[in-house]
Amino acid sequence: MSQPSSRLIEGRQLGVRLGGKTIISGVDIRIDAGQIVTLIGPNGAGKSTLIKALLGVHKITDGEFYAKPNLSVGYMPQRVPIDDSLPLAVHRLMTLTHRARRDEVLAALALTEVAHLIDRPVQQLSGGEFQRVMLARALLKQPDLLVLDEPVQGVDFSGEVALYKLIQRLRDERGYAVLMVSHDLHLVMAATDEVLCLNGHLCCSGTPESITQEPTFTSLFGPHQADALAFYSHHHDHEHDLAHQGGHSHD
Amino acid sequence: MIELLWPALLAGSGIALVAGPLGSLMVWRRMAYFGDTMAHSGLLGVTLAVVLNLNLTAGIALVTTALALLLFTLQRQRRLPADTLLGIMSHGSLAIGMLVLAFSPTVRMDLSGLLFGDLLAVNGSDVVVVWVIVALALPVIGFAWRPLLAATVNEDLARAEGIATDWLRVLYLVLIALVIAVAMKIVGILLITALMIIPAAAARWLARTPEQMAIGASVLGLIAVWFGLAASWFANAPSGPTIVVAAVVAFMLTLGLSRLPRQN
């Protein structure tokens, strides 16, 4: 079982400057084991930058940062365009930096229901298949924390619902903590424990229910979005119906 | 008479072996123009080496590496796109090299040999230099292959997964600079990237894994060098163009081969 109090990463007043330009500043973030934290915010708000800074891709230029020793992180970047000139099968993509046996790769792919694609060239995958493969890739090393940058990009609507449900299920069944970036506010809200709203700095944070009451949130996303979110987060059973339908129409 | 062909054949074979994996990476990373720019600056390296009385290979490798590092620094700015910068550096360094060559009375070199290769210019010590570099480069490439591939697929992902991508990039550039330095005599400055790109592209038609493509590129490169040098010898033609033409023929043949109906 996951221990809600065990801290995986924590940052206080984090700032990142890239090429002399301040991208984010003053961000407080904490992720505990088994928690789903969603990062939202407009385009250019620094969501991907924050994620990459937490992962060590960008240097954190301000603030304090803690990561649990030997923390294992599975990362799924926002976009992974792979040149057509590179002959790469799914199996190789999965094991680029992490060596794993074929049956381990198959097991990870089975979690995201794409085991049949293991020998397929990556260029032949559809958007949804590719995202599922990348999610399986992040799961392969049994991480403590999954970091997903817009995991449903390029996926059709019914696929989106299914993918979010899958992420939630993985957390419930395996206790992974999840940090994800999302644009699809109303889809993701029902499945998240905490929402961080970013726009260069941290505008607001809290549970999905509480955040929609925040004036800064309303001003960033407009009252219409806030209402929509309130609607979904207060009508969980309705959201499940929607997901159910989506799953069927897809197959 | 035929023994005059041996140094070029031996040196060319070594270059083709290393050019296979490096050229494949160049294709995957879309760095063909980048390689071209480095090669063009080689002419400046030649002239500087002669004027300063340095070793020729070292001179070229130094100038091409310096240029590549300069390019990376310049790419941090956003006002000019990368290919414009490459164009400035590529043609600028070529022009400066030509001018220095033209105004240095001490330098008497065959310009067409520098630009398009001259197999008769290859001597025994060149062969030794090539194979020393091959003996160093191949194990390094083999050792760094998995991280290089990971950084090629996605640099952010590779970094997040603990790969030192900045060092890999420098390593890759230095390797390319070395290949350019030793390949110049045989294929010439203007055609060096062809020897890296075309065999790799030809191997792409038949390859199913990155390694198949890299090794296939080495094999096709070897074949192109042998046929090209033979043709150059018998037709008394400059060796660079004959090797490149042989590589293009290989490219067409593998393309045709890949389009043959498969019998299952």
Side-chain angles (χ1 to χ4, degrees):
Chain A
M1 272 305 288
S2 61
Q3 297 166 305
S5 63
S6 61
R7 174 174 69 144
L8 296 182
I9 56 173
E10 179 162 16
R12 288 213 187 95
Q13 295 295 304
L14 296 181
V16 178
R17 281 192 306 272
L18 288 176
K21 203 174 147 195
T22 302
I23 311 289
I24 48 174
S25 61
V27 175
D28 290 328
I29 185 169
R30 174 178 167 147
I31 301 167
D32 290 335
Q35 197 184 19
I36 299 185
V37 176
T38 303
L39 210 52
I40 59 173
N43 282 330
K47 303 184 294 289
S48 293
T49 306
L50 175 59
I51 275 189
K52 287 180 195 174
L54 297 175
L55 290 167
V57 176
H58 295 320
K59 211 191 267 169
I60 295 172
T61 42
D62 283 304
E64 289 168 51
F65 179 66
Y66 164 87
K68 194 184 123 186
N70 299 319
L71 180 75
S72 167
V73 180
Y75 173 41
M76 177 172 167
Q78 188 175 9
R79 286 183 66 247
V80 185
I82 295 177
D83 205 278
D84 284 338
S85 66
L86 179 60
L88 195 72
V90 167
H91 175 259
R92 270 315 288 283
L93 175 68
M94 300 276 289
T95 54
L96 274 177
T97 56
H98 179 81
R99 287 180 194 270
R101 292 193 316 270
R102 192 178 165 87
D103 57 306
E104 292 169 327
V105 175
L106 269 174
L109 287 168
L111 284 176
T112 60
E113 294 150 16
V114 284
H116 59 288
L117 299 176
I118 186 164
D119 292 316
R120 190 80 64 81
V122 289
Q123 289 88 358
Q124 289 177 16
L125 303 180
S126 72
E129 287 171 339
F130 190 79
Q131 295 300 90
R132 280 170 180 267
V133 165
M134 289 307 289
L135 181 59
R137 188 183 183 281
L139 293 169
L140 182 60
K141 58 179 171 181
Q142 313 268 343
D144 306 308
L145 171 65
L146 276 175
V147 177
L148 314 173
D149 198 345
E150 302 212 17
V152 298
Q153 204 171 59
V155 181
D156 57 32
F157 180 73
S158 59
E160 274 182 33
V161 178
L163 210 52
Y164 280 128
K165 278 184 73 99
L166 175 66
I167 291 165
Q168 198 178 7
R169 206 186 76 216
L170 287 167
R171 189 276 303 265
D172 294 344
E173 288 174 4
R174 304 187 155 240
Y176 299 132
V178 180
L179 170 63
M180 65 180 155
V181 170
S182 179
H183 275 308
D184 319 84
L185 299 174
H186 45 287
L187 281 183
V188 84
M189 281 301 204
T192 191
D193 299 317
E194 186 165 358
V195 180
L196 299 180
C197 175
L198 194 71
N199 190 16
H201 59 283
L202 208 56
C203 297
C204 46
S205 60
T207 60
E209 286 83 4
S210 72
I211 200 170
T212 49
Q213 312 297 321
E214 296 260 354
T216 45
F217 181 86
T218 320
S219 68
L220 205 56
F221 293 102
H224 175 71
Q225 280 280 28
D227 283 349
L229 295 180
F231 175 77
Y232 278 106
S233 55
H234 294 148
H235 296 79
H236 284 287
D237 51 336
H238 187 84
E239 190 274 335
H240 281 291
D241 279 344
L242 188 68
H244 201 63
Q245 282 170 11
H248 277 291
S249 67
H250 186 60
D251 292 325
Chain B
M1 252 330 236
I2 196 85
E3 59 268 18
L4 285 174
L5 196 57
W6 281 112
L9 210 53
L10 285 172
S13 302
I15 292 160
L17 279 181
V18 184
L22 290 183
S24 298
L25 285 164
M26 197 178 269
V27 170
W28 300 331
R29 294 175 164 225
R30 303 198 166 204
M31 283 174 70
Y33 197 18
F34 195 98
D36 233 13
T37 304
M38 285 178 73
H40 287 178
S41 73
L43 188 68
L44 191 59
V46 174
T47 51
L48 282 184
V50 174
V51 170
L52 301 174
N53 208 10
L54 290 170
N55 175 283
L56 207 63
T57 310
I60 301 170
L62 274 177
V63 170
T64 49
T65 308
L67 177 109
L69 295 177
L70 181 65
L71 265 170
F72 273 120
T73 329
L74 282 176
Q75 275 171 9
R76 300 252 164 97
Q77 61 81 41
R78 299 265 170 87
R79 219 166 289 176
L80 289 174
D83 61 339
T84 303
L85 279 176
L86 286 172
I88 295 168
M89 308 279 262
S90 165
H91 305 303
S93 62
L94 190 64
I96 294 170
M98 298 266 254
L99 284 177
V100 175
L101 201 63
F103 285 105
S104 305
T106 49
V107 185
R108 292 196 7 256
M109 291 192 111
D110 169 23
L111 187 61
S112 115
L114 287 176
L115 295 181
F116 299 109
D118 177 6
L119 67 92
L120 292 176
V122 183
N123 57 39
S125 65
D126 291 327
V127 175
V128 173
V129 171
V130 166
W131 280 94
V132 165
I133 285 174
V134 170
L136 286 172
L138 278 184
V140 168
I141 295 170
F143 187 70
W145 182 251
R146 280 175 60 91
L148 274 170
L149 193 62
T152 300
V153 168
N154 191 286
E155 195 150 320
D156 284 344
L157 196 57
R159 267 175 93 104
E161 289 169 357
I163 288 170
T165 53
D166 288 338
W167 283 110
L168 275 180
R169 191 183 282 192
V170 173
L171 174 75
Y172 180 62
L173 288 176
V174 171
L175 287 170
I176 290 182
L178 286 173
V179 170
I180 288 171
V182 294
M184 194 207 57
K185 275 193 178 173
I186 298 181
V187 279
I189 281 162
L190 295 183
L191 297 175
I192 284 171
T193 30
L195 190 57
M196 299 213 243
I197 299 292
I198 302 173
R204 174 64 182 105
W205 299 122
L206 305 174
R208 286 162 166 270
T209 68
E211 290 73 26
Q212 283 178 7
M213 181 159 153
I215 294 168
S218 290
V219 172
L220 291 171
L222 279 175
I223 295 171
V225 165
W226 293 339
F227 275 90
L229 283 177
S232 162
W233 179 258
F234 289 113
N236 198 21
S239 50
T242 53
I243 290 172
V244 172
V245 168
V248 171
V249 170
F251 176 82
M252 308 288 248
L253 286 177
T254 50
L255 168 60
L257 215 57
S258 71
R259 293 294 140 99
L260 286 180
R262 291 243 163 76
Q263 289 150 0
N264 289 323

